[in-house]
Amino acid sequence: MGESAAAIRFCKDVVTKEKLVGLCFSASNGIEYMKVYAENDTLKELYECALVQALSSRSDSIYTKKKRRKLPGQ
């Protein structure tokens, strides 16, 4: 389903009237489908910050191989 028209309208209103960043999460998809609404300068700054702050997959603990304990009978 994605985002509702009202949610998108609200985010765009927040950006234009209050000069804030609006985040809109999908109603039926995961967090990776979040949309960011902001002025162009702010979007560029957020993108550059994300590039600097992002972890490489090798340094992220999710992707590191964990030691397995030896169970009885192995």
Side-chain angles (χ1 to χ4, degrees):
M1 163 147 181
E3 304 86 11
S4 69
I8 294 170
R9 194 169 40 252
F10 176 78
C11 282
K12 288 181 177 180
D13 285 346
V14 165
V15 170
T16 56
K17 292 178 184 173
E18 300 181 33
K19 306 297 183 207
L20 297 173
V21 175
L23 303 175
C24 195
F25 294 92
S26 174
S28 59
N29 295 319
I31 192 171
E32 64 271 13
Y33 292 95
M34 174 185 72
K35 290 188 181 171
V36 179
Y37 294 91
E39 293 180 332
N40 287 337
D41 292 342
T42 305
L43 283 175
K44 183 178 178 184
E45 187 178 341
L46 288 171
Y47 178 75
E48 290 171 357
C49 183
L51 286 177
V52 171
Q53 297 295 325
L55 296 173
S56 70
S57 61
R58 279 178 260 139
S59 66
D60 194 341
S61 63
I62 294 173
Y63 298 102
T64 57
K65 201 171 191 180
K66 294 183 173 90
K67 289 184 178 180
R68 297 185 68 153
R69 64 183 184 161
K70 196 165 188 172
L71 298 174
Q74 288 185 335

